[in-house]
mmCIF file of all heavy atoms in Angstrom:
data_model
loop_
_atom_site.group_PDB
_atom_site.id
_atom_site.type_symbol
_atom_site.label_atom_id
_atom_site.label_comp_id
_atom_site.label_asym_id
_atom_site.label_seq_id
_atom_site.Cartn_x
_atom_site.Cartn_y
_atom_site.Cartn_z
ATOM 1 N N LEU A 91 69.922 97.590 79.164
ATOM 2 C CA LEU A 91 70.478 98.530 80.138
ATOM 3 C C LEU A 91 71.992 98.550 79.972
ATOM 4 O O LEU A 91 72.642 97.503 79.929
ATOM 5 C CB LEU A 91 70.115 98.090 81.550
ATOM 6 C CG LEU A 91 70.417 99.071 82.689
ATOM 7 C CD1 LEU A 91 69.604 100.351 82.508
ATOM 8 C CD2 LEU A 91 70.097 98.427 84.033
ATOM 9 N N ARG A 94 77.939 102.377 83.307
ATOM 10 C CA ARG A 94 78.899 101.992 84.339
ATOM 11 C C ARG A 94 78.271 102.102 85.722
ATOM 12 O O ARG A 94 77.578 103.075 86.024
ATOM 13 C CB ARG A 94 80.132 102.887 84.261
ATOM 14 C CG ARG A 94 81.244 102.509 85.218
ATOM 15 C CD ARG A 94 82.466 103.365 84.995
ATOM 16 N NE ARG A 94 83.035 103.147 83.670
ATOM 17 C CZ ARG A 94 84.075 103.819 83.192
ATOM 18 N NH1 ARG A 94 84.641 104.769 83.924
ATOM 19 N NH2 ARG A 94 84.539 103.560 81.989
ATOM 20 N N LEU A 95 78.525 101.096 86.544
ATOM 21 C CA LEU A 95 78.094 101.104 87.943
ATOM 22 C C LEU A 95 79.341 101.201 88.803
ATOM 23 O O LEU A 95 80.206 100.319 88.767
ATOM 24 C CB LEU A 95 77.326 99.824 88.267
ATOM 25 C CG LEU A 95 76.813 99.670 89.713
ATOM 26 C CD1 LEU A 95 75.803 100.767 90.038
ATOM 27 C CD2 LEU A 95 76.189 98.292 89.916
ATOM 28 N N LYS A 96 79.450 102.290 89.566
ATOM 29 C CA LYS A 96 80.664 102.554 90.341
ATOM 30 C C LYS A 96 80.384 102.411 91.844
ATOM 31 O O LYS A 96 79.537 103.114 92.388
ATOM 32 C CB LYS A 96 81.196 103.955 90.022
ATOM 33 C CG LYS A 96 81.670 104.103 88.583
ATOM 34 C CD LYS A 96 82.192 105.485 88.289
ATOM 35 C CE LYS A 96 81.063 106.494 88.202
ATOM 36 N NZ LYS A 96 81.534 107.839 87.797
ATOM 37 N N LEU A 97 81.118 101.495 92.468
ATOM 38 C CA LEU A 97 80.961 101.220 93.893
ATOM 39 C C LEU A 97 82.288 101.365 94.606
ATOM 40 O O LEU A 97 83.346 101.084 94.042
ATOM 41 C CB LEU A 97 80.448 99.795 94.117
ATOM 42 C CG LEU A 97 79.185 99.348 93.378
ATOM 43 C CD1 LEU A 97 78.951 97.865 93.616
ATOM 44 C CD2 LEU A 97 77.998 100.150 93.851
ATOM 45 N N SER A 98 82.218 101.763 95.866
ATOM 46 C CA SER A 98 83.383 101.722 96.739
ATOM 47 C C SER A 98 82.981 100.954 97.990
ATOM 48 O O SER A 98 81.962 101.273 98.618
ATOM 49 C CB SER A 98 83.865 103.131 97.092
ATOM 50 O OG SER A 98 85.112 103.076 97.765
ATOM 51 N N VAL A 99 83.765 99.950 98.334
ATOM 52 C CA VAL A 99 83.377 98.988 99.358
ATOM 53 C C VAL A 99 84.474 98.882 100.408
ATOM 54 O O VAL A 99 85.657 98.738 100.057
ATOM 55 C CB VAL A 99 83.148 97.594 98.707
ATOM 56 C CG1 VAL A 99 82.819 96.550 99.751
ATOM 57 C CG2 VAL A 99 82.051 97.678 97.657
ATOM 58 N N ILE A 106 80.671 90.364 100.932
ATOM 59 C CA ILE A 106 79.228 90.564 100.863
ATOM 60 C C ILE A 106 78.761 91.048 99.498
ATOM 61 O O ILE A 106 77.877 90.458 98.875
ATOM 62 C CB ILE A 106 78.775 91.595 101.924
ATOM 63 C CG1 ILE A 106 79.085 91.087 103.320
ATOM 64 C CG2 ILE A 106 77.296 91.927 101.788
ATOM 65 C CD1 ILE A 106 78.856 92.113 104.391
ATOM 66 N N MET A 107 79.379 92.127 99.022
ATOM 67 C CA MET A 107 78.861 92.828 97.853
ATOM 68 C C MET A 107 78.731 91.963 96.607
ATOM 69 O O MET A 107 77.744 92.098 95.860
ATOM 70 C CB MET A 107 79.752 94.042 97.562
ATOM 71 C CG MET A 107 79.066 95.136 96.754
ATOM 72 S SD MET A 107 77.716 95.906 97.660
ATOM 73 C CE MET A 107 76.333 95.618 96.569
ATOM 74 N N PRO A 108 79.680 91.075 96.303
ATOM 75 C CA PRO A 108 79.539 90.271 95.072
ATOM 76 C C PRO A 108 78.226 89.498 94.995
ATOM 77 O O PRO A 108 77.662 89.347 93.899
ATOM 78 C CB PRO A 108 80.747 89.325 95.137
ATOM 79 C CG PRO A 108 81.772 90.093 95.901
ATOM 80 C CD PRO A 108 80.984 90.827 96.951
ATOM 81 N N TYR A 109 77.727 89.024 96.132
ATOM 82 C CA TYR A 109 76.486 88.244 96.125
ATOM 83 C C TYR A 109 75.268 89.106 95.790
ATOM 84 O O TYR A 109 74.275 88.609 95.258
ATOM 85 C CB TYR A 109 76.288 87.570 97.484
ATOM 86 C CG TYR A 109 77.346 86.538 97.777
ATOM 87 C CD1 TYR A 109 78.402 86.825 98.647
ATOM 88 C CD2 TYR A 109 77.317 85.290 97.173
ATOM 89 C CE1 TYR A 109 79.388 85.892 98.904
ATOM 90 C CE2 TYR A 109 78.299 84.340 97.423
ATOM 91 C CZ TYR A 109 79.335 84.646 98.293
ATOM 92 O OH TYR A 109 80.315 83.719 98.539
ATOM 93 N N PHE A 110 75.352 90.398 96.106
ATOM 94 C CA PHE A 110 74.249 91.298 95.786
ATOM 95 C C PHE A 110 74.360 91.848 94.359
ATOM 96 O O PHE A 110 73.441 92.499 93.873
ATOM 97 C CB PHE A 110 74.202 92.449 96.793
ATOM 98 C CG PHE A 110 73.732 92.043 98.154
ATOM 99 C CD1 PHE A 110 74.632 91.715 99.160
ATOM 100 C CD2 PHE A 110 72.375 91.956 98.435
ATOM 101 C CE1 PHE A 110 74.200 91.317 100.424
ATOM 102 C CE2 PHE A 110 71.923 91.564 99.686
ATOM 103 C CZ PHE A 110 72.837 91.240 100.683
ATOM 104 N N LEU A 111 75.497 91.572 93.711
ATOM 105 C CA LEU A 111 75.731 92.065 92.356
ATOM 106 C C LEU A 111 75.494 91.004 91.277
ATOM 107 O O LEU A 111 75.101 91.331 90.158
ATOM 108 C CB LEU A 111 77.185 92.552 92.223
ATOM 109 C CG LEU A 111 77.524 93.910 92.823
ATOM 110 C CD1 LEU A 111 79.029 94.038 93.001
ATOM 111 C CD2 LEU A 111 77.011 95.026 91.919
ATOM 112 N N THR A 112 75.745 89.747 91.614
ATOM 113 C CA THR A 112 75.841 88.692 90.603
ATOM 114 C C THR A 112 74.653 88.627 89.660
ATOM 115 O O THR A 112 74.811 88.681 88.429
ATOM 116 C CB THR A 112 76.030 87.323 91.289
ATOM 117 O OG1 THR A 112 77.219 87.370 92.084
ATOM 118 C CG2 THR A 112 76.173 86.220 90.251
ATOM 119 N N GLU A 113 73.459 88.488 90.194
ATOM 120 C CA GLU A 113 72.289 88.307 89.347
ATOM 121 C C GLU A 113 72.017 89.547 88.504
ATOM 122 O O GLU A 113 71.636 89.445 87.328
ATOM 123 C CB GLU A 113 71.061 87.967 90.208
ATOM 124 C CG GLU A 113 69.853 87.500 89.409
ATOM 125 C CD GLU A 113 70.102 86.208 88.647
ATOM 126 O OE1 GLU A 113 70.988 85.419 89.061
ATOM 127 O OE2 GLU A 113 69.425 86.006 87.623
ATOM 128 N N PHE A 114 72.223 90.722 89.081
ATOM 129 C CA PHE A 114 71.992 91.976 88.354
ATOM 130 C C PHE A 114 72.933 92.089 87.158
ATOM 131 O O PHE A 114 72.509 92.460 86.060
ATOM 132 C CB PHE A 114 72.198 93.161 89.303
ATOM 133 C CG PHE A 114 71.974 94.498 88.656
ATOM 134 C CD1 PHE A 114 70.695 94.916 88.303
ATOM 135 C CD2 PHE A 114 73.039 95.344 88.397
ATOM 136 C CE1 PHE A 114 70.484 96.156 87.703
ATOM 137 C CE2 PHE A 114 72.842 96.576 87.795
ATOM 138 C CZ PHE A 114 71.563 96.984 87.448
ATOM 139 N N ILE A 115 74.205 91.753 87.357
ATOM 140 C CA ILE A 115 75.180 91.819 86.265
ATOM 141 C C ILE A 115 74.861 90.772 85.200
ATOM 142 O O ILE A 115 74.974 91.031 83.993
ATOM 143 C CB ILE A 115 76.610 91.625 86.802
ATOM 144 C CG1 ILE A 115 76.983 92.753 87.785
ATOM 145 C CG2 ILE A 115 77.622 91.568 85.658
ATOM 146 C CD1 ILE A 115 76.991 94.136 87.186
ATOM 147 N N LYS A 116 74.458 89.585 85.629
ATOM 148 C CA LYS A 116 74.106 88.532 84.668
ATOM 149 C C LYS A 116 72.922 88.938 83.791
ATOM 150 O O LYS A 116 72.869 88.603 82.607
ATOM 151 C CB LYS A 116 73.770 87.233 85.413
ATOM 152 C CG LYS A 116 74.978 86.487 85.946
ATOM 153 C CD LYS A 116 74.543 85.196 86.630
ATOM 154 C CE LYS A 116 75.754 84.418 87.147
ATOM 155 N NZ LYS A 116 75.337 83.176 87.849
ATOM 156 N N ASN A 118 72.164 91.941 82.929
ATOM 157 C CA ASN A 118 72.451 93.159 82.160
ATOM 158 C C ASN A 118 73.896 93.130 81.660
ATOM 159 O O ASN A 118 74.795 93.712 82.282
ATOM 160 C CB ASN A 118 72.204 94.401 83.026
ATOM 161 C CG ASN A 118 70.770 94.490 83.521
ATOM 162 O OD1 ASN A 118 69.868 94.862 82.796
ATOM 163 N ND2 ASN A 118 70.566 94.123 84.784
ATOM 164 N N ILE A 121 76.387 96.293 81.276
ATOM 165 C CA ILE A 121 76.854 97.092 82.418
ATOM 166 C C ILE A 121 78.323 96.813 82.702
ATOM 167 O O ILE A 121 78.757 95.669 82.770
ATOM 168 C CB ILE A 121 76.002 96.807 83.664
ATOM 169 C CG1 ILE A 121 74.596 97.365 83.467
ATOM 170 C CG2 ILE A 121 76.640 97.419 84.920
ATOM 171 C CD1 ILE A 121 73.656 97.064 84.592
ATOM 172 N N LEU A 123 81.083 97.117 85.500
ATOM 173 C CA LEU A 123 81.202 97.268 86.952
ATOM 174 C C LEU A 123 82.585 97.785 87.331
ATOM 175 O O LEU A 123 83.602 97.255 86.898
ATOM 176 C CB LEU A 123 80.961 95.918 87.642
ATOM 177 C CG LEU A 123 81.178 95.883 89.163
ATOM 178 C CD1 LEU A 123 80.182 96.788 89.878
ATOM 179 C CD2 LEU A 123 81.082 94.453 89.684
ATOM 180 N N ASN A 124 82.588 98.827 88.155
ATOM 181 C CA ASN A 124 83.837 99.364 88.703
ATOM 182 C C ASN A 124 83.695 99.373 90.222
ATOM 183 O O ASN A 124 82.977 100.208 90.771
ATOM 184 C CB ASN A 124 84.072 100.783 88.156
ATOM 185 C CG ASN A 124 85.420 101.349 88.566
ATOM 186 O OD1 ASN A 124 85.968 101.005 89.611
ATOM 187 N ND2 ASN A 124 85.952 102.229 87.749
ATOM 188 N N MET A 125 84.356 98.426 90.903
ATOM 189 C CA MET A 125 84.230 98.308 92.358
ATOM 190 C C MET A 125 85.598 98.422 93.012
ATOM 191 O O MET A 125 86.482 97.597 92.780
ATOM 192 C CB MET A 125 83.573 96.976 92.741
ATOM 193 C CG MET A 125 83.280 96.873 94.238
ATOM 194 S SD MET A 125 82.261 95.441 94.681
ATOM 195 C CE MET A 125 83.481 94.125 94.645
ATOM 196 N N ASP A 143 78.683 105.772 92.624
ATOM 197 C CA ASP A 143 77.236 105.718 92.757
ATOM 198 C C ASP A 143 76.819 105.343 94.176
ATOM 199 O O ASP A 143 75.919 105.941 94.754
ATOM 200 C CB ASP A 143 76.656 104.692 91.775
ATOM 201 C CG ASP A 143 76.913 105.063 90.335
ATOM 202 O OD1 ASP A 143 76.591 106.205 89.967
ATOM 203 O OD2 ASP A 143 77.448 104.227 89.583
ATOM 204 N N PHE A 144 77.493 104.313 94.717
ATOM 205 C CA PHE A 144 77.151 103.796 96.040
ATOM 206 C C PHE A 144 78.415 103.410 96.808
ATOM 207 O O PHE A 144 79.448 103.101 96.217
ATOM 208 C CB PHE A 144 76.272 102.545 95.928
ATOM 209 C CG PHE A 144 74.992 102.738 95.181
ATOM 210 C CD1 PHE A 144 74.835 102.205 93.905
ATOM 211 C CD2 PHE A 144 73.937 103.441 95.744
ATOM 212 C CE1 PHE A 144 73.657 102.376 93.203
ATOM 213 C CE2 PHE A 144 72.750 103.614 95.050
ATOM 214 C CZ PHE A 144 72.611 103.083 93.774
ATOM 215 N N ALA A 145 78.281 103.390 98.138
ATOM 216 C CA ALA A 145 79.334 102.868 99.003
ATOM 217 C C ALA A 145 78.721 101.821 99.918
ATOM 218 O O ALA A 145 77.539 101.909 100.274
ATOM 219 C CB ALA A 145 79.964 103.985 99.830
ATOM 220 N N LEU A 146 79.519 100.830 100.276
ATOM 221 C CA LEU A 146 79.081 99.834 101.253
ATOM 222 C C LEU A 146 79.904 100.012 102.517
ATOM 223 O O LEU A 146 81.134 99.916 102.487
ATOM 224 C CB LEU A 146 79.264 98.414 100.716
ATOM 225 C CG LEU A 146 78.802 97.308 101.678
ATOM 226 C CD1 LEU A 146 77.276 97.304 101.791
ATOM 227 C CD2 LEU A 146 79.298 95.936 101.225
ATOM 228 N N LEU A 159 70.329 101.948 102.161
ATOM 229 C CA LEU A 159 69.542 100.725 102.093
ATOM 230 C C LEU A 159 70.290 99.685 102.921
ATOM 231 O O LEU A 159 71.410 99.299 102.575
ATOM 232 C CB LEU A 159 69.404 100.238 100.644
ATOM 233 C CG LEU A 159 68.694 98.891 100.461
ATOM 234 C CD1 LEU A 159 67.230 98.998 100.905
ATOM 235 C CD2 LEU A 159 68.781 98.419 99.014
ATOM 236 N N LEU A 161 71.429 96.191 104.224
ATOM 237 C CA LEU A 161 71.516 94.898 103.546
ATOM 238 C C LEU A 161 71.605 93.723 104.506
ATOM 239 O O LEU A 161 70.855 92.765 104.384
ATOM 240 C CB LEU A 161 72.739 94.879 102.607
ATOM 241 C CG LEU A 161 72.730 95.868 101.448
ATOM 242 C CD1 LEU A 161 73.984 95.681 100.591
ATOM 243 C CD2 LEU A 161 71.481 95.717 100.594
ATOM 244 N N LEU A 262 74.196 99.949 102.107
ATOM 245 C CA LEU A 262 74.559 100.610 100.861
ATOM 246 C C LEU A 262 74.132 102.068 101.014
ATOM 247 O O LEU A 262 72.970 102.342 101.321
ATOM 248 C CB LEU A 262 73.835 99.958 99.685
ATOM 249 C CG LEU A 262 74.393 100.269 98.294
ATOM 250 C CD1 LEU A 262 75.714 99.555 98.086
ATOM 251 C CD2 LEU A 262 73.396 99.879 97.212
ATOM 252 N N ILE A 263 75.058 102.994 100.823
ATOM 253 C CA ILE A 263 74.742 104.404 101.047
ATOM 254 C C ILE A 263 75.068 105.243 99.809
ATOM 255 O O ILE A 263 75.892 104.855 98.981
ATOM 256 C CB ILE A 263 75.492 104.972 102.276
ATOM 257 C CG1 ILE A 263 77.009 104.939 102.062
ATOM 258 C CG2 ILE A 263 75.116 104.206 103.535
ATOM 259 C CD1 ILE A 263 77.806 105.617 103.167
ATOM 260 N N TRP A 264 74.395 106.389 99.699
ATOM 261 C CA TRP A 264 74.659 107.324 98.614
ATOM 262 C C TRP A 264 74.329 108.719 99.104
ATOM 263 O O TRP A 264 73.631 108.900 100.102
ATOM 264 C CB TRP A 264 73.850 106.966 97.367
ATOM 265 C CG TRP A 264 72.365 106.954 97.553
ATOM 266 C CD1 TRP A 264 71.480 107.955 97.304
ATOM 267 C CD2 TRP A 264 71.562 105.858 98.059
ATOM 268 N NE1 TRP A 264 70.196 107.570 97.606
ATOM 269 C CE2 TRP A 264 70.217 106.286 98.063
ATOM 270 C CE3 TRP A 264 71.858 104.556 98.491
ATOM 271 C CZ2 TRP A 264 69.169 105.463 98.489
ATOM 272 C CZ3 TRP A 264 70.820 103.744 98.921
ATOM 273 C CH2 TRP A 264 69.497 104.190 98.913
ATOM 274 N N HIS A 270 70.493 109.659 90.306
ATOM 275 C CA HIS A 270 70.967 108.346 89.878
ATOM 276 C C HIS A 270 70.911 108.199 88.366
ATOM 277 O O HIS A 270 69.964 108.647 87.711
ATOM 278 C CB HIS A 270 70.119 107.243 90.516
ATOM 279 C CG HIS A 270 70.347 107.066 91.975
ATOM 280 N ND1 HIS A 270 71.530 106.599 92.490
ATOM 281 C CD2 HIS A 270 69.548 107.302 93.049
ATOM 282 C CE1 HIS A 270 71.452 106.542 93.806
ATOM 283 N NE2 HIS A 270 70.254 106.976 94.165
ATOM 284 N N SER A 271 71.938 107.532 87.823
ATOM 285 C CA SER A 271 71.914 107.149 86.412
ATOM 286 C C SER A 271 70.896 106.023 86.247
ATOM 287 O O SER A 271 70.492 105.388 87.231
ATOM 288 C CB SER A 271 73.302 106.676 85.979
ATOM 289 O OG SER A 271 73.610 105.441 86.622
ATOM 290 N N PRO A 272 70.475 105.736 85.010
ATOM 291 C CA PRO A 272 69.565 104.598 84.808
ATOM 292 C C PRO A 272 70.117 103.293 85.368
ATOM 293 O O PRO A 272 69.368 102.481 85.917
ATOM 294 C CB PRO A 272 69.419 104.537 83.284
ATOM 295 C CG PRO A 272 69.631 105.949 82.836
ATOM 296 C CD PRO A 272 70.682 106.484 83.768
ATOM 297 N N VAL A 273 71.445 103.102 85.266
ATOM 298 C CA VAL A 273 72.069 101.868 85.765
ATOM 299 C C VAL A 273 72.010 101.801 87.284
ATOM 300 O O VAL A 273 71.608 100.782 87.860
ATOM 301 C CB VAL A 273 73.533 101.765 85.279
ATOM 302 C CG1 VAL A 273 74.274 100.650 86.017
ATOM 303 C CG2 VAL A 273 73.578 101.509 83.785
ATOM 304 N N SER A 274 72.415 102.883 87.955
ATOM 305 C CA SER A 274 72.436 102.853 89.421
ATOM 306 C C SER A 274 71.023 102.775 89.998
ATOM 307 O O SER A 274 70.787 102.106 91.004
ATOM 308 C CB SER A 274 73.179 104.078 89.983
ATOM 309 O OG SER A 274 72.527 105.278 89.636
ATOM 310 N N LEU A 275 70.080 103.417 89.341
ATOM 311 C CA LEU A 275 68.691 103.345 89.798
ATOM 312 C C LEU A 275 68.139 101.924 89.622
ATOM 313 O O LEU A 275 67.446 101.402 90.508
ATOM 314 C CB LEU A 275 67.822 104.338 89.026
ATOM 315 C CG LEU A 275 66.357 104.432 89.464
ATOM 316 C CD1 LEU A 275 66.257 104.840 90.928
ATOM 317 C CD2 LEU A 275 65.600 105.420 88.576
ATOM 318 N N ALA A 276 68.477 101.298 88.497
ATOM 319 C CA ALA A 276 68.035 99.921 88.257
ATOM 320 C C ALA A 276 68.633 98.974 89.290
ATOM 321 O O ALA A 276 67.965 98.047 89.777
ATOM 322 C CB ALA A 276 68.426 99.489 86.847
ATOM 323 N N PHE A 277 69.903 99.209 89.653
ATOM 324 C CA PHE A 277 70.554 98.357 90.653
ATOM 325 C C PHE A 277 69.887 98.533 92.014
ATOM 326 O O PHE A 277 69.642 97.553 92.731
ATOM 327 C CB PHE A 277 72.039 98.700 90.740
ATOM 328 C CG PHE A 277 72.787 97.903 91.767
ATOM 329 C CD1 PHE A 277 72.796 96.515 91.723
ATOM 330 C CD2 PHE A 277 73.497 98.526 92.791
ATOM 331 C CE1 PHE A 277 73.487 95.762 92.668
ATOM 332 C CE2 PHE A 277 74.185 97.786 93.723
ATOM 333 C CZ PHE A 277 74.178 96.407 93.670
ATOM 334 N N LEU A 278 69.579 99.753 92.372
ATOM 335 C CA LEU A 278 68.932 100.029 93.648
ATOM 336 C C LEU A 278 67.565 99.345 93.712
ATOM 337 O O LEU A 278 67.216 98.712 94.726
ATOM 338 C CB LEU A 278 68.793 101.532 93.840
ATOM 339 C CG LEU A 278 68.376 102.033 95.217
ATOM 340 C CD1 LEU A 278 69.335 101.551 96.299
ATOM 341 C CD2 LEU A 278 68.291 103.550 95.219
ATOM 342 N N ASN A 279 66.815 99.435 92.643
ATOM 343 C CA ASN A 279 65.495 98.787 92.600
ATOM 344 C C ASN A 279 65.626 97.268 92.653
ATOM 345 O O ASN A 279 64.803 96.584 93.281
ATOM 346 C CB ASN A 279 64.745 99.212 91.337
ATOM 347 C CG ASN A 279 64.294 100.664 91.391
ATOM 348 O OD1 ASN A 279 64.096 101.206 92.473
ATOM 349 N ND2 ASN A 279 64.144 101.294 90.239
ATOM 350 N N HIS A 280 66.658 96.747 92.004
ATOM 351 C CA HIS A 280 66.920 95.300 92.039
ATOM 352 C C HIS A 280 67.182 94.836 93.463
ATOM 353 O O HIS A 280 66.651 93.807 93.911
ATOM 354 C CB HIS A 280 68.124 94.981 91.146
ATOM 355 C CG HIS A 280 68.628 93.579 91.284
ATOM 356 N ND1 HIS A 280 68.034 92.502 90.638
ATOM 357 C CD2 HIS A 280 69.663 93.060 91.992
ATOM 358 C CE1 HIS A 280 68.687 91.397 90.950
ATOM 359 N NE2 HIS A 280 69.674 91.706 91.767
ATOM 360 N N LEU A 281 67.993 95.592 94.198
ATOM 361 C CA LEU A 281 68.317 95.219 95.581
ATOM 362 C C LEU A 281 67.082 95.268 96.470
ATOM 363 O O LEU A 281 66.883 94.375 97.314
ATOM 364 C CB LEU A 281 69.393 96.141 96.143
ATOM 365 C CG LEU A 281 70.814 95.940 95.624
ATOM 366 C CD1 LEU A 281 71.775 96.853 96.362
ATOM 367 C CD2 LEU A 281 71.262 94.495 95.763
ATOM 368 N N LYS A 282 66.275 96.288 96.306
ATOM 369 C CA LYS A 282 65.070 96.402 97.127
ATOM 370 C C LYS A 282 64.145 95.205 96.907
ATOM 371 O O LYS A 282 63.513 94.702 97.834
ATOM 372 C CB LYS A 282 64.337 97.702 96.804
ATOM 373 C CG LYS A 282 65.061 98.954 97.283
ATOM 374 C CD LYS A 282 64.328 100.218 96.857
ATOM 375 C CE LYS A 282 65.044 101.467 97.351
ATOM 376 N NZ LYS A 282 64.381 102.715 96.891
ATOM 377 N N LYS A 283 64.102 94.742 95.673
ATOM 378 C CA LYS A 283 63.221 93.631 95.322
ATOM 379 C C LYS A 283 63.793 92.277 95.730
ATOM 380 O O LYS A 283 63.073 91.387 96.195
ATOM 381 C CB LYS A 283 62.960 93.648 93.811
ATOM 382 C CG LYS A 283 62.053 92.534 93.326
ATOM 383 C CD LYS A 283 61.876 92.610 91.810
ATOM 384 C CE LYS A 283 61.024 91.446 91.308
ATOM 385 N NZ LYS A 283 60.898 91.478 89.822
ATOM 386 N N GLU A 284 65.121 92.098 95.570
ATOM 387 C CA GLU A 284 65.736 90.775 95.714
ATOM 388 C C GLU A 284 66.530 90.579 97.007
ATOM 389 O O GLU A 284 67.041 89.491 97.250
ATOM 390 C CB GLU A 284 66.670 90.508 94.520
ATOM 391 C CG GLU A 284 65.993 90.568 93.161
ATOM 392 C CD GLU A 284 64.951 89.475 92.980
ATOM 393 O OE1 GLU A 284 65.070 88.436 93.659
ATOM 394 O OE2 GLU A 284 64.026 89.668 92.167
ATOM 395 N N LYS A 285 66.632 91.616 97.824
ATOM 396 C CA LYS A 285 67.488 91.553 99.018
ATOM 397 C C LYS A 285 67.169 90.347 99.906
ATOM 398 O O LYS A 285 68.065 89.583 100.288
ATOM 399 C CB LYS A 285 67.361 92.851 99.817
ATOM 400 C CG LYS A 285 68.212 92.874 101.075
ATOM 401 C CD LYS A 285 68.040 94.181 101.832
ATOM 402 C CE LYS A 285 66.718 94.235 102.573
ATOM 403 N NZ LYS A 285 66.660 95.350 103.553
ATOM 404 N N ILE A 288 68.309 87.031 98.359
ATOM 405 C CA ILE A 288 69.772 86.886 98.352
ATOM 406 C C ILE A 288 70.270 86.505 99.743
ATOM 407 O O ILE A 288 71.116 85.612 99.898
ATOM 408 C CB ILE A 288 70.438 88.192 97.879
ATOM 409 C CG1 ILE A 288 70.081 88.471 96.420
ATOM 410 C CG2 ILE A 288 71.957 88.112 98.051
ATOM 411 C CD1 ILE A 288 70.467 89.853 95.930
#
Side-chain angles (χ1 to χ4, degrees):
L91 190 63
R94 184 175 296 177
L95 179 63
K96 295 180 287 185
L97 307 173
S98 189
V99 177
I106 298 172
M107 202 66 238
Y109 295 102
F110 288 95
L111 283 162
T112 301
E113 191 63 25
F114 180 71
I115 298 298
K116 284 182 179 178
N118 300 282
I121 291 176
L123 175 64
N124 186 331
M125 186 170 79
D143 297 308
F144 302 107
L146 181 70
L159 175 65
L161 297 182
L262 196 72
I263 63 174
W264 59 95
H270 289 293
S271 68
V273 168
S274 63
L275 184 59
F277 178 57
L278 191 57
N279 289 334
H280 170 81
L281 287 185
K282 290 176 179 177
K283 180 181 177 183
E284 302 295 335
K285 180 180 75 167
I288 295 169

